Amino acid sequence: MSRSRPPAPLPDDLPDAVRVLLTELRELRTASGHDLRSLERRTHASRSSWSRWLGGETFVPRTAVTALAQLCGGDRHRLEALWDVADQAREAAAASGTPDVAPSTAPRGEPTAPPGEPSAPARETAPSHGETAAPDGGPPAPDSETPTPTAGASTESPASPPVPRRRGPKVVLVGAVAGCVLVSGAAGVLLGTTLRTNAQESPDGPARASASPARATRATVHAIYRHEVVARAQSWHPHAPGRVPYDQAASYQGYRADGSGYASMALGLPAPGPNSAALLASYCDRIPPARLGPGDLVVNATGGPDAREVMIFERWTGPSRTAYWAYQQRRGYGTDHLVRGAGLTRDGRHVACHPRNLRDDPVG
């Protein structure tokens, strides 16, 4: 084992899910004592590749995450699940035009995975609805752009007498009608696709993620007011004899009896509730701690099961904003209402975030 310098801070414009993944990978490497030279000797990637991946310059391949977990004794399945969530967030950021970490690249001659194993999940692109794919990569089918001459159509040469002008509008009119029919059909397909996409991405429409980090069936997420979140949080009897015991393997009212399940219940997210990483990546937007309001969350999705936690913000303890009252399904106790200070400093672990389906209470 060799001693290494503290890693440089991650870029500010990384998606939250990517930041969670890289923070956990960096902590795992530091705890194991492996530096970049050691990773180069014991894996299939170079020191410069590991530096770019762990520094957030390029997106780390899934096979590199697996190799690091095996080398450093990490939870391989958890890290691979975090990678799936981070990859989904990265693609969503790229689709929306948000600055994102660059795709993973490896120098020539330095594979990141053993032969025969892909470096990332393969993705296939299917032809769009209404398109006709040409066989063997040939030119597009004739019905896509170029109209086919019909029987009886004029094939006169340039030397033939010109067509009378009064017949021109009829031909143009027929062509325009046919074009309108084709365009209307295409517009209908495009409009239907757009409406389905908007419904999936709207806070009031289907959710963007489920309890599993992998791509799953989307469920409806309705908007909810801040006071409703607080009222739902109080329904589990925090800091009272009737509180719900903390148990990741148990459920209460259809939700997991852990921190992320409790927060999902309060926000009205799909049961049994996404885990902390999916909650942060797919249901929330990161905000400065000073903007926290009732119903917002403070999430730590890094570390092992004994470190991850989710707090439901209620109110500040005073004008100095050095601590706040929060509802939390606390490990070893159960539903609690307590004063916390986590997330007020940028420690790379706790993140202040605003749920996308949360609305301000109506005034008056």
Side-chain angles (χ1 to χ4, degrees), residues 1-4 29 33-41:
M1 303 295 178
S2 58
R3 189 174 296 177
S4 59
R29 181 190 70 84
H34 289 286
D35 60 5
L36 298 180
R37 293 180 183 275
S38 176
L39 295 182
E40 182 179 42
R41 291 194 301 268

Side-chain angles (χ1 to χ4, degrees), residues 14-262:
L14 289 178
D16 288 329
V18 177
R19 182 179 299 276
V20 168
L21 172 66
L22 294 182
T23 299
E24 188 141 337
L25 293 178
R26 287 150 66 110
E27 290 179 352
L28 178 63
R29 181 190 70 84
T30 301
S32 67
H34 289 286
D35 60 5
L36 298 180
R37 293 180 183 275
S38 176
L39 295 182
E40 182 179 42
R41 291 194 301 268
R42 296 171 180 266
T43 65
H44 294 278
S46 68
R47 180 177 54 176
S48 59
S49 295
W50 280 111
S51 177
R52 291 192 299 271
W53 294 336
L54 297 178
E57 298 177 25
T58 56
F59 189 58
V60 57
R62 197 175 197 268
T63 52
V65 172
T66 302
L68 186 65
Q70 294 174 339
L71 175 63
C72 301
D75 187 342
R76 169 184 173 181
H77 298 291
R78 167 176 164 75
L79 291 174
E80 289 177 344
L82 289 178
W83 186 94
D84 290 335
V85 176
D87 184 52
Q88 183 179 7
R90 182 177 63 90
E91 291 179 351
S96 62
T98 305
D100 191 8
V101 62
S104 59
T105 57
R108 183 173 299 176
E110 296 176 355
T112 61
E117 183 178 350
S119 60
R123 293 176 176 83
E124 297 179 358
T125 303
S128 302
H129 181 74
E131 293 182 355
T132 305
D136 302 329
D143 62 346
S144 59
E145 293 183 3
T146 306
T148 304
T150 58
S154 174
T155 56
E156 295 177 342
S157 64
S160 302
V163 179
R165 293 180 59 86
R166 60 186 178 86
R167 295 178 57 188
K170 295 181 180 180
V171 176
V172 173
L173 178 60
V174 173
V177 172
C180 289
V181 172
L182 294 176
V183 172
S184 299
V189 174
L190 179 59
L191 178 60
T193 303
T194 303
L195 291 177
R196 287 193 299 270
T197 302
N198 290 342
Q200 292 173 352
E201 296 181 353
S202 171
D204 300 334
R208 301 187 180 184
S210 65
S212 171
R215 281 74 169 173
T217 304
R218 301 174 186 269
T220 302
V221 176
H222 298 286
I224 189 170
Y225 290 116
R226 294 185 183 273
H227 74 275
E228 293 176 320
V229 175
V230 175
R232 291 170 68 95
Q234 293 172 348
S235 68
W236 280 23
H237 312 292
H239 206 76
R243 63 183 180 272
V244 178
Y246 181 97
D247 190 347
Q248 292 181 339
S251 63
Y252 183 73
Q253 296 177 348
Y255 290 89
R256 284 191 321 278
D258 59 7
S260 56
Y262 177 50

Side-chain angles (χ1 to χ4, degrees), residues 16-18 85-86 89 208-209 275-285 356:
D16 288 329
V18 177
V85 176
R208 301 187 180 184
N275 59 28
S276 55
L279 185 67
L280 181 62
S282 302
Y283 289 92
C284 299
D285 294 317
R356 294 183 182 132

